[in-house]
RNA sequence: GUGCUCGUAGCUCAGUUGGAUAGAGCAGCCGCCUUCUAAGCGGCCGGUCGUGGGUUCGACUCCCGCCGAGCACGCCA
């Protein structure tokens, strides 16, 4: 017996077949199959209610007609019941659950199934995330974009998209004039000290130089003027200034990568704002020529009169400024050039921006402008989506800062997470060797930071709490990693191997309530995965994995795997193998590393 | 002022895009380790879903009013 990856989709199409047989008006009937609350079975279909209403029938009678017409392949798969006013409830038969377990037994089988059933398979998606500024260390404000962006990229790739990860770093702007000015001052004053500092902690030193330059420019107009001159030299290609600027970029990117390594992030491209310097001219020309942009107060702007808040008639007009009055580019200019580049050069079908939701207005105007621009120039617009996320708040409900009011460095935050995890590992697993405890602490600590961020709906503000995050209970990384470690432990103790062919063949039919509950939850992976793709919200996957780990833990407590009966042992080992597969696959989609012991 | 987002248990959050008796975790209380990892499991307690109307077989979900919060609004990104 083969098994569909998405039972919900299979039920949906069977219901449509039945509806045709029963003489339903197919234009009015949509089955609306979804995962049901456990007490109602595995799936429910609510579409009969809406259909009966439109056609003025008794819903229960319509449901009965439909059920009578169900094809044999569906009734072989699941028990069907009509409930309440006309809900259809489906409970998969144990054989159907077992068929799914048999069919999706390896990482490659799971991935192939997810991709083949996916609406985005074969599409090219650019995911634009992290995007820090060079010459500054990443701080807590950069956490969510990196973590959520990586999870979204992995979820899209698993669903069969060709994913291009692009780090759109902020490597251009007025700040570089000030840094270069301060750099040259330091060079003239004490060259040896400057080089020593740049050798030891290069990014920190450039960040310090920026502050020096910025403070000096604020205090002294002559410095401000000198900084501007350095900026002009940089922009006109002066060799010395360009070399300094390049070095800033290099040390920044290599410092960023140390943090990305902890999160498992590797970008395909790091095309920052500077990359689009020579590409904005074409944008200006085109959007003026096609009448999308206009001059206003010396700047090149776009109004969207059909939207009250972007209209020229608004009380406080808020145009999309594409070129500043002084002729310089801003982020609107480079963002437009970036869309064109991704459409042309990458042949992208979609471009996703994982950026703070406070920039929602900017992206709305950007997308509206791109839409009009592409339409007037006869191009096909790609899918553009702003995946906005909320602010990281402290437990006082205000944006998270250090006690002295500074931004918390991401490096420090991750170190503290690892240190806190280490204390727990020492307490709980003191018998493990030192090196392994250190490795566990890093995976649990970093994973907790990632998971705490991902587990909540990304668009809400996120209240950061050390205690809840590192906590071992509830919907946390540690709970999931613990379930994985226990699964590995079972295989170690029983000297078994996940997916072993003899064990799979010896498995007898599922019997106990906890076995069946675990099998049911495993089958729902398909629904969680596809919903995560459809909504681009990793928390739906987190929630599913948490529930799976919970059902597994209940199974673990109720049904012992290492029993004498070979058939029982084999079927429980198979359940464990599949649980391990789905948990590890899911955690990997979120960007977390897993453990064999903890 | 204009607009966007939000308000669910003491706390932190879900709620499958209008479905069934609104769900978890934490905190509190009660149980469970001579058996595969107790970083675990089982149970109890806890809600007029901010508020008042409306739409309909059905509303936490959609519409309107009010109260409260956060955010964004011309040349930073």
């Amino acid at each position: 017996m083969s098994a569909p990856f998405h039972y919900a989709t299979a039920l949906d199409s069977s219901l449509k077949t039945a509806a045709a047989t029963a003489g339903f008006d197919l234009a009015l009937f949509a089955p609306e199959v979804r995962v049901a609350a456990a007490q109602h079975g595995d799936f429910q279909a609510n579409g009969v209610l809406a259909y009966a209403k439109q056609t003025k029938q008794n819903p229960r009678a319509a449901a009965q007609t439909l059920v009578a017409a169900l094809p044999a392949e569906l009734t072989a798969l699941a028990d069907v019941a009509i409930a309440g006013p006309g809900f259809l409830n489906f409970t998969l038969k144990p054989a159907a659950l077992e068929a799914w377990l048999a069919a999706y037994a390896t990482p490659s089988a799971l991935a192939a199934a997810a991709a083949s059933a996916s609406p985005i398979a074969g599409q090219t998606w650019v995911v634009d995330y992290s995007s820090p500024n060079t010459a500054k260390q990443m701080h807590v404000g950069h956490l969510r974009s990196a973590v959520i962006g990586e999870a979204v990229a992995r979820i899209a790739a698993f669903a069969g998209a060709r994913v291009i990860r692009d780090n759109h770093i902020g490597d251009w702007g007025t700040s570089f004039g000030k840094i270069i000015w301060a750099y040259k001052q330091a060079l003239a004053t004490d060259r040896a000290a400057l080089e020593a500092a740049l050798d030891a902690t290069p990014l920190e030193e450039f960040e310090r130089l920026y502050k020096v330059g910025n403070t000096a420019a604020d205090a002294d107009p002559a410095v401000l003027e000198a900084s501007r001159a350095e900026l002009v030299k940089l922009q006109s290609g002066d060799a010395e200034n360009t070399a300094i600027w390049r070095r800033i970029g290099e040390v920044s990117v290599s410092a960023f990568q140390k943090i990305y390594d902890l999160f498992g992030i590797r970008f395909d491209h790091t095309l920052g704002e500077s990359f689009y310097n020579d590409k904005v001219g074409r944008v200006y020309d085109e959007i003026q020529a096609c009448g999308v942009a206009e001059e206003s107060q010396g700047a090149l702007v776009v109004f969207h009169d059909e939207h009250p808040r972007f209209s020229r008639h608004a009380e406080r007009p808020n145009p999309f400024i594409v070129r500043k009055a002084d002729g310089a580019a801003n982020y609107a200019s480079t963002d437009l050039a970036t869309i064109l580049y991704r459409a042309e050069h990458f042949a992208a079908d979609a471009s996703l921006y994982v950026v703070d939701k406070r920039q929602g207005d900017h992206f709305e105007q950007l997308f509206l402008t791109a839409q009009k621009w592409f339409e007037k120039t006869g191009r096909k617009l790609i899918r553009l989506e702003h995946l906005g996320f909320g602010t990281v708040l402290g437990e006082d409900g205000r944006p998270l800062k250090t006690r002295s009011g500074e931004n918390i460095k991401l490096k420090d935050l991750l170190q503290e997470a690892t240190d806190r995890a280490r204390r727990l590992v020492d307490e709980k697993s003191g018998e493990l060797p030192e090196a392994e405890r250190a490795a566990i602490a890093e995976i649990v600590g970093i994973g907790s930071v990632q998971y705490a961020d991902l587990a909540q709906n990304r668009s809400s503000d996120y209240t950061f709490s050390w205690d809840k995050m590192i906590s071992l209970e509830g919907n946390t990384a540690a709970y999931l990693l613990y379930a994985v470690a226990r699964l590995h432990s079972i295989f170690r103790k029983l000297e078994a191997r996940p997916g072993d062919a003899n064990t799979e063949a010896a498995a007898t039919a599922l019997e106990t309530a906890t076995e069946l509950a675990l099998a049911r939850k495993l089958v729902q992976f398909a629904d969680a995965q596809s919903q995560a793709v459809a909504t681009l919200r990793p928390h739906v996957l987190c929630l599913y994995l948490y529930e799976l780990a919970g059902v597994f833990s209940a199974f673990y407590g109720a049904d012992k795997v290492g029993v004498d009966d070979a058939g029982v042992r084999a079927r429980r080992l198979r359940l464990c193998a599949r649980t391990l597969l789905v948990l590890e696959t899911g955690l990997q989609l979120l960007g977390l590393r897993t453990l064999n012991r903890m």
Side-chain angles (χ1 to χ4, degrees), chain A residues 94 96 138 162 215 309 327 396 469 497 499:
Chain A
M138 285 202 273
R162 171 181 165 246
T215 311
R309 69 204 146 108
D396 58 358
M469 189 181 72
R497 196 169 52 80

Side-chain angles (χ1 to χ4, degrees), chain A residues 59 75 157 456:
Chain A
T75 48
Q456 183 169 331

Side-chain angles (χ1 to χ4, degrees), chain A residues 68 80 192 220 526 540 544 558 594:
Chain A
V80 186
D220 182 354
V540 307
Y544 166 76
T594 57

Side-chain angles (χ1 to χ4, degrees), chain A residues 270-287:
Chain A
T270 300
L271 302 177
E273 286 159 0
S274 67
F275 178 77
Y276 296 97
N277 264 342
D278 60 357
K279 298 176 180 61
V280 293
R282 185 177 163 205
V283 175
Y284 302 147
D285 293 344
E286 285 199 19
I287 61 176

Side-chain angles (χ1 to χ4, degrees), chain A residues 287 292-294 300-304 310 318-322 365 369:
Chain A
I287 61 176
V292 169
E294 61 194 83
L300 187 63
V301 307
V302 180
F303 287 106
H304 299 287
F310 306 134
N318 175 25
F320 194 50
I321 296 166
V322 172
Q365 293 180 97
T369 304

Side-chain angles (χ1 to χ4, degrees), chain A residues 39 61 104 138 153 274 312 418 431 531-532:
Chain A
Q39 71 267 29
Y104 307 105
M138 285 202 273
S274 67
R312 78 192 68 237
T418 303
E431 74 286 359
Q531 204 194 338

Side-chain angles (χ1 to χ4, degrees), chain A residues 522-574:
Chain A
L522 285 166
V523 168
Q524 285 172 17
F525 173 68
D527 303 286
Q529 177 267 334
S530 60
Q531 204 194 338
V533 175
T535 59
L536 298 175
R537 291 182 187 271
H539 81 282
V540 307
L541 189 56
C542 293
L543 189 64
Y544 166 76
L545 293 173
Y546 172 56
E547 287 170 357
L548 176 62
V551 176
F552 164 72
S553 295
F555 160 82
Y556 184 91
D559 293 337
K560 187 168 173 166
V561 179
V563 293
D564 291 336
D565 185 311
V568 174
R569 183 185 177 113
R571 74 170 187 249
R572 289 182 183 167
L573 275 171
R574 186 174 69 166

